[in-house]
Amino acid sequence: MATATLSPVDTDKLSNLKSAVASLNQISENEKSGFINLVGRYLSGEAQHVEWSKIQTPTDEIVVPYDNLAPLSEDPAETKKLLDKLVVLKLNGGLGTTMGCTGPKSVIEVRNGLTFLDLIVKQIEALNAKYGCTVPLLLMNSFNTHDDTLKIVEKYANSNIEIHTFNQSQYPRLVTEDFSPLPCKGNSGKDGWYPPGHGDVFPALVNSGKLDALLAKGKEYVFVANSDNLGAIVDLKILNHLIQNKNEYCMEVTPKTLADVKGGTLISYEGKVQLLEIAQVPDEHVNEFKSIEKFKIFNTNNLWVNLNAIKRLVEADALKMEIIPNPKEVDVVKVLQLETAAGAAIKFFDRAIGVNVPRSRFLPVKATSDLLLVQSDLYTLTDEGYVIRNPARSNPSNPTIELGPEFKKVANFLGRFKSIPSIIELDSLKVTGDVWFGSGVTLKGKVTVAAKSGVKLEIPDGAVIANKDINGPEDI
């Protein structure tokens, strides 16, 4: 515990908090001690400040270029051996609220009536069928997504894939004013609690008993990824490299574009590889951090981790990831959530590396503008559930798409497009106002569509719009 460096005031705060938390019967003893531990570390101010002059660019040994990975054996029996050591874990704690959905984000339809979860299941089923292996799927839910997910996975009961669900921890929100748990203030509903970020995946795996069960079946590595990243598919070359080189942890990074300047990056620091997040960067270096010249890569949150190493580090309480304070308001009460991120754990594992992967392994759907990309002719869907980019597009980067608030919710977005436009030759699209798209529309180059206030602007069926600003029907 970090109490050794606490001021007398903070020691009192922590001890009062501890007795308050002891009375919360909604959570386990593991959750209580994990929470108190996190708050103790936060109060002791152990935030690590990075000394800018010590930062070094990682070498190709530490961040391995994807093309340097050894080719795979052609022998299917060798591939089966690799896959038999693997577990796939999707972070499934997020709700689709930002896109106007209720329930887990992973059940938003992506393409052809299939959800994120349908595609993930299809992919693993195809691997298991092809190689005769048993790769299980684990879903880490939060208390927000747990009940819905249990109902949803019932539909996969007859598939050739084992699906396990477990919950990440549930911690009480802290009332900023007096540092008491919000549920003790009478707010005992869901608003009183929060899931403490995906850094919790490691203790949650151990506490749920899932880790020991996987080790007992001979599993060695877990591939962890966000459930909304359509590019996060099993990559045997990476798995093979980790097993050959005894790397306990691998973070997939990919080259930064201007859209990713805030993403965390890998650095060499005091002889270790570690994740540098924008929150840790001194103000005077933020622009340097955002530049694509010095920090060329960012974290995709596709992580490969050795299961035995997770067990060793969790049991030793050695995973002290940077704490991310997240202030919120619940019914005008100011509260604090303390969270951690799984990527920050990289520095605690032996022989940890990054792999600089192609951009195709990072295809997250965070907003309806991303949904437009993956539903368009820019991508196709294979029978195995893989979303593949259309080779007909010559530009290696995707078009930038900005949709106004009228398109923010999935239902509104789908209602405003009779069909998703063809965007193979599109560079950028910006849409504002009350705009509706007909079917079979083609967009090319730079297109801006801005409906005047109070005016409904309809793009007719079959329209081809290239390098144009459209403010009314007369511009089409």
Side-chain angles (χ1 to χ4, degrees):
M1 273 290 295
T3 42
T5 50
L6 291 184
S7 70
V9 174
D10 285 341
T11 306
D12 278 354
K13 260 189 193 174
L14 194 62
S15 128
N16 293 340
L17 183 64
K18 206 170 177 176
S19 25
V21 167
S23 68
L24 296 173
N25 54 10
Q26 299 96 320
I27 54 175
S28 68
E29 291 308 312
N30 278 333
E31 287 169 312
K32 289 175 188 178
S33 64
F35 175 65
I36 293 296
N37 196 334
L38 192 62
V39 176
R41 285 178 52 215
Y42 172 72
L43 287 173
S44 72
E46 63 157 45
Q48 287 186 309
H49 297 291
V50 178
E51 280 190 53
W52 203 252
S53 57
K54 289 186 179 176
I55 290 178
Q56 292 180 310
T57 304
T59 61
D60 282 0
E61 278 69 52
I62 293 174
V63 175
V64 182
Y66 186 80
D67 293 343
N68 290 12
L69 299 175
L72 286 169
S73 155
E74 299 287 311
D75 180 0
E78 288 300 310
T79 302
K80 178 183 181 327
K81 257 190 221 167
L82 283 177
L83 284 167
D84 281 338
K85 296 178 177 176
L86 182 67
V87 180
V88 174
L89 190 160
K90 297 288 179 170
L91 301 168
N92 191 50
L95 291 166
T97 41
T98 44
M99 293 165 77
C101 298
T102 55
K105 188 174 178 187
S106 56
V107 298
I108 292 175
E109 283 187 13
V110 182
R111 256 194 106 110
N112 305 14
L114 298 170
T115 66
F116 289 106
L117 209 47
D118 293 337
L119 297 177
I120 291 163
V121 169
K122 267 173 110 64
Q123 291 161 13
I124 300 177
E125 274 190 316
L127 277 179
N128 286 345
K130 184 173 180 183
Y131 296 104
C133 53
T134 52
V135 176
L137 170 63
L138 270 73
L139 299 171
M140 181 169 87
N141 300 318
S142 64
F143 59 87
N144 288 317
T145 60
H146 172 73
D147 295 343
D148 286 336
T149 302
L150 286 189
K151 288 191 202 102
I152 291 154
V153 297
E154 283 172 12
K155 73 173 180 178
Y156 309 118
N158 299 325
S159 58
N160 70 336
I161 168 176
E162 266 183 52
I163 301 180
H164 302 268
T165 62
F166 66 104
N167 270 15
Q168 72 174 111
S169 305
Q170 173 174 334
Y171 287 172
R173 285 175 158 157
L174 274 173
V175 179
T176 316
E177 188 189 14
D178 62 359
F179 233 66
S180 63
L182 188 58
C184 294
K185 293 281 175 97
N187 195 330
S188 55
K190 277 193 172 174
D191 282 350
W193 307 89
Y194 75 98
H198 47 61
D200 187 53
V201 63
F202 305 118
L205 261 177
V206 174
N207 294 339
S208 64
K210 294 293 177 195
L211 189 86
D212 283 340
L214 294 166
L215 288 171
K217 288 185 173 174
K219 303 297 179 190
E220 291 179 26
Y221 277 87
V222 59
F223 173 44
V224 180
N226 296 347
S227 60
D228 65 7
N229 179 5
L230 295 169
I233 60 178
V234 170
D235 187 295
L236 291 163
K237 279 174 75 169
I238 296 176
L239 179 61
N240 183 50
H241 183 91
L242 303 182
I243 291 171
Q244 298 303 324
N245 295 281
K246 299 189 168 52
N247 304 111
E248 289 187 347
Y249 186 111
C250 167
M251 174 187 289
E252 294 185 35
V253 292
T254 198
K256 253 192 209 181
T257 67
L258 290 171
D260 318 302
V261 291
K262 290 182 177 175
T265 191
L266 284 183
I267 56 170
S268 286
Y269 191 77
E270 297 183 331
K272 292 202 101 159
V273 60
Q274 76 178 56
L275 180 66
L276 177 67
E277 297 275 17
I278 194 162
Q280 298 164 276
V281 176
D283 291 348
E284 65 274 20
H285 294 291
V286 166
N287 285 341
E288 198 180 336
F289 175 83
K290 287 181 174 179
S291 85
I292 300 180
E293 280 68 53
K294 178 163 182 176
F295 298 103
K296 296 182 164 68
I297 52 174
F298 75 100
N299 170 22
T300 62
N301 218 39
N302 297 350
L303 310 170
W304 301 75
V305 196
N306 180 286
L307 294 169
N308 278 301
I310 294 174
K311 185 176 168 75
R312 181 187 81 232
L313 291 167
V314 169
E315 287 178 351
D317 191 23
L319 292 176
K320 299 195 183 300
M321 283 93 89
E322 282 78 15
I323 296 170
I324 306 156
N326 187 358
K328 300 248 177 188
E329 255 188 43
V330 180
D331 302 331
V332 306
V333 178
K334 287 188 165 48
V335 295
L336 183 63
Q337 299 180 182
L338 301 178
E339 300 170 13
T340 60
I346 189 167
K347 62 182 176 191
F348 300 107
F349 288 83
D350 294 339
R351 304 176 72 92
I353 57 166
V355 171
N356 193 352
V357 298
R359 183 76 188 198
S360 57
R361 293 190 56 75
F362 184 66
L363 186 59
V365 178
K366 302 288 181 201
T368 50
S369 51
D370 301 322
L371 212 46
L372 175 61
L373 284 175
V374 299
Q375 291 186 346
S376 74
D377 55 355
L378 201 53
Y379 288 91
T380 49
L381 185 62
T382 70
D383 292 344
E384 288 87 42
Y386 298 114
V387 177
I388 307 289
R389 199 164 184 270
N390 190 335
R393 181 171 171 90
S394 49
N395 184 341
S397 45
N398 280 346
T400 56
I401 295 178
E402 281 179 66
L403 301 175
E406 296 80 4
F407 291 82
K408 187 178 179 183
K409 294 183 172 177
V410 175
N412 297 349
F413 162 82
L414 294 172
R416 286 175 178 272
F417 289 97
K418 266 199 213 165
S419 71
I420 300 291
S422 165
I423 59 171
I424 298 258
E425 294 175 53
L426 179 69
D427 296 320
S428 66
L429 170 67
K430 187 172 184 180
V431 183
T432 50
D434 187 11
V435 179
W436 300 76
F437 287 81
S439 60
V441 173
T442 302
L443 305 173
K444 301 179 179 186
K446 289 187 174 170
V447 176
T448 305
V449 186
K452 297 184 182 84
S453 179
V455 176
K456 179 177 181 180
L457 178 54
E458 297 187 45
I459 308 292
D461 295 355
V464 177
I465 299 169
N467 293 311
K468 264 188 150 173
D469 287 0
I470 292 174
N471 300 108
E474 66 282 358
D475 300 325
I476 297 167

